[in-house]
Amino acid sequence: MKIEFWSDIVCPYCGLMDHRLRQALDRFAHASDVHVVHRSFQLHPDLPREGVTQRELFRMAGMPEAAGEQVLRRIEAAAEAEGLTPYNALERRLGPTDFAHELLAYAAGQGRSGEIWSAMFRVHFGQGRNLWTVEQVLDFASEVGLDRDGAAAALHDGRYRARVADDQHTAQRLGARGTPFIVLDGKYAMSGAIGPDELLSAIGSVWEEGHPAAVSPLPPITGGDGVCTPDGCAAPAPSGE
């Protein structure tokens, strides 16, 4: 079974859903047969490279600060209730995530995609780290054990730039308007965050659709005139015995 997960590092619902997906798969009996593919979707590619605060972004988007704060505080409360702490969705800075996504694509090429996505969510929402410049991204790469020189070369020559852009275009063609966006087995899409139990239920339902259960034995009806098996034939017991 394949799960494709489009997200952006600065999306607080995405960090929460990354945690929920890992938790759901920990509870899923067939997790070893599930392949998770992380894909890129940039929410704010036009932000200045130095970044802006979340409150500044509210104003730039024309959103009342009180309303925006209420939404993000709810996300923080949900994260805390689910054991994802610290998780700071409000008091942070946001910036363009193009270099971060190119590094994530590089990590996928090293066989470390899911691990590095989760680590990047943790440092951004847990530590308030900025990941907008090449140096910031390469410092992170070194910290998580990626080859800094290899990552630097990948960012310098832009070898993953088209892949990052294609991820976003694919999501938009599938109907995504934002993140998180999850596609299960190429058949069903989930747009936005859903609860951990609902996520596990959706994964289970799609799994069962693709792996129908074996035929169950039918309830027997007694009264036949004997039966033959590989071990021989037996006559029915005389009535009254």
Side-chain angles (χ1 to χ4, degrees):
M1 177 177 175
K2 182 179 180 180
I3 298 178
E4 295 171 276
F5 179 19
W6 278 266
S7 56
D8 196 359
I9 290 304
V10 295
C11 162
Y13 278 123
C14 296
L16 183 59
M17 285 299 292
D18 178 73
H19 177 72
R20 287 176 175 174
L21 180 57
R22 286 184 285 109
Q23 295 293 312
L25 291 178
D26 284 345
R27 297 162 56 193
F28 186 54
H30 307 287
S32 61
D33 294 315
V34 174
H35 178 45
V36 178
V37 179
H38 288 267
R39 299 198 183 280
S40 296
F41 194 114
Q42 295 181 71
L43 291 174
H44 306 292
D46 298 325
L47 287 179
R49 192 62 68 180
E50 65 272 17
V52 299
T53 68
Q54 178 65 73
R55 297 180 192 279
E56 288 173 333
L57 186 61
F58 288 152
R59 291 192 286 273
M60 292 168 64
M63 174 179 285
E65 186 171 323
E69 180 173 341
Q70 186 178 42
V71 170
L72 296 186
R73 290 299 188 201
R74 283 200 298 266
I75 297 173
E76 291 175 344
E80 182 175 7
E82 295 171 32
L84 182 59
T85 57
Y87 199 79
N88 301 309
L90 181 60
E91 302 301 340
R92 63 188 175 115
R93 295 182 68 83
L94 300 86
T97 53
D98 48 348
F99 297 136
H101 283 290
E102 289 180 44
L103 179 73
L104 290 163
Y106 171 78
Q110 306 301 305
R112 299 182 62 191
S113 179
E115 171 196 354
I116 302 303
W117 271 91
S118 294
M120 195 174 281
F121 280 127
R122 285 197 302 272
V123 300
H124 177 60
F125 291 105
Q127 302 173 17
R129 289 278 295 279
N130 300 331
L131 297 163
W132 330 135
T133 69
V134 169
E135 283 304 307
Q136 290 167 348
V137 168
L138 291 179
D139 286 346
F140 167 80
S142 298
E143 292 168 14
V144 296
L146 290 170
D147 178 63
R148 186 186 181 103
D149 291 339
L155 294 181
H156 177 72
D157 63 28
R159 71 187 70 164
Y160 294 108
R161 202 163 296 154
R163 173 175 165 177
V164 169
D166 186 62
D167 273 357
Q168 185 146 348
H169 294 154
T170 298
Q172 290 167 337
R173 287 196 299 270
L174 293 174
R177 294 181 299 169
T179 56
F181 184 71
I182 294 176
V183 173
L184 301 177
D185 243 5
K187 300 176 181 178
Y188 302 100
M190 296 186 294
S191 185
I194 64 173
D197 291 337
E198 292 83 358
L199 178 59
L200 178 59
S201 177
I203 293 171
S205 295
V206 175
W207 172 271
E208 290 172 4
E209 182 178 306
H211 301 79
V215 176
S216 301
L218 297 173
I221 298 177
T222 59
D225 293 328
V227 61
C228 291
T229 73
D231 297 323
C233 297
S239 59
E241 291 188 8

